[in-house]
Amino acid sequence: MSTDAIVLLKNDHKEIKRIFDAFEKAGDNAHAEKGRLVDRMIELLTVHTYIENEVMYPRVRELLPELEDDVLESYEEHHVADVLVMELVGMKPDAERFTAKTTVLIENVRHHIDEEEQDWFPQVRAGLGRKALQDIGVEMEAARKKAPRTPAQPSALKKTLDAVIS
Ligand SMILES: [Fe+2]
Ligand SMILES: [Fe+2]
């Protein structure tokens, strides 16, 4: 299996987008199914955000300072998604705003994923090359093992606070 950081992140994106599509296809009254899909979405996003925030973004920022503005913008986009995720965690699937809030989360994350894949990853690949991306990938997979799976875990809360304060 490849350890190339960009390949690994794209695999995550694919899985996340698959859940988004399933949510959109679920019927208006499929509350139980939509609740399960949102739980899964939140788990995938929490892990993915953690490995990008903790490994991918800091490494790229350090190795390619010219991409710093993109990294900072990405932290902010993750932060907006985190806020929506935190609100969704406490919401029942049959609540009036549940589908609307999930839809806004999906729109935001899709936009962010498209920017990463279309603009940012190509610049990172050109700037870093194969070996550095493999090393970052190895580090990301190590971080994945200790990543929080729910936003309520302390490591996820710390991440959210870092985004607000720093
Ligand atoms: Fe991201
Ligand atoms: Fe991503």
Side-chain angles (χ1 to χ4, degrees):
M1 204 183 93
S2 174
T3 67
D4 181 288
I6 290 175
V7 172
L8 296 170
L9 292 174
K10 280 187 175 174
N11 286 341
D12 279 7
H13 290 172
K14 208 185 276 175
E15 205 183 345
I16 289 164
K17 288 197 286 189
R18 211 167 43 81
I19 305 293
F20 288 172
D21 293 344
F23 183 89
E24 288 172 339
K25 284 197 193 99
D28 281 348
N29 294 314
H31 300 306
E33 188 193 352
K34 282 164 131 181
R36 274 195 304 274
L37 288 167
V38 167
D39 287 348
R40 180 71 182 138
M41 209 180 278
I42 288 174
E43 182 182 346
L44 291 172
L45 288 174
T46 303
V47 173
H48 183 76
T49 302
Y50 180 85
I51 66 172
E52 284 191 341
N53 283 2
E54 296 292 318
V55 181
M56 184 68 175
Y57 295 169
R59 292 297 158 269
V60 172
R61 191 176 181 180
E62 149 193 324
L63 297 168
L64 300 173
E66 65 273 27
L67 296 186
E68 179 158 64
D69 288 352
D70 297 306
V71 170
L72 292 173
E73 193 184 312
S74 287
Y75 277 125
E76 293 305 321
E77 291 184 349
H78 282 193
H79 173 58
V80 170
D82 286 345
V83 170
L84 294 167
V85 161
M86 302 261 258
E87 290 176 358
L88 271 174
V89 167
M91 205 176 256
K92 296 226 173 1
D94 60 354
E96 188 182 51
R97 295 166 73 174
F98 182 83
T99 296
K101 205 176 281 292
T102 306
T103 301
V104 172
L105 174 67
I106 290 174
E107 283 170 357
N108 272 279
V109 174
R110 271 202 189 117
H111 162 83
H112 175 70
I113 286 177
D114 285 349
E115 261 185 9
E116 285 190 334
E117 296 198 354
Q118 282 157 32
D119 296 352
W120 200 63
F121 288 166
Q123 295 182 64
V124 172
R125 182 172 296 291
L128 291 185
R130 209 160 144 241
K131 173 75 173 76
L133 282 169
Q134 283 174 346
D135 292 346
I136 295 172
V138 169
E139 209 187 326
M140 269 188 343
E141 289 315 288
R144 190 189 294 276
K145 292 197 183 98
K146 54 173 190 168
R149 311 223 148 247
T150 76
Q153 280 172 260
S155 48
L157 285 174
K158 178 190 164 292
K159 173 202 81 179
T160 305
L161 285 174
D162 287 347
V164 182
I165 293 164
S166 59

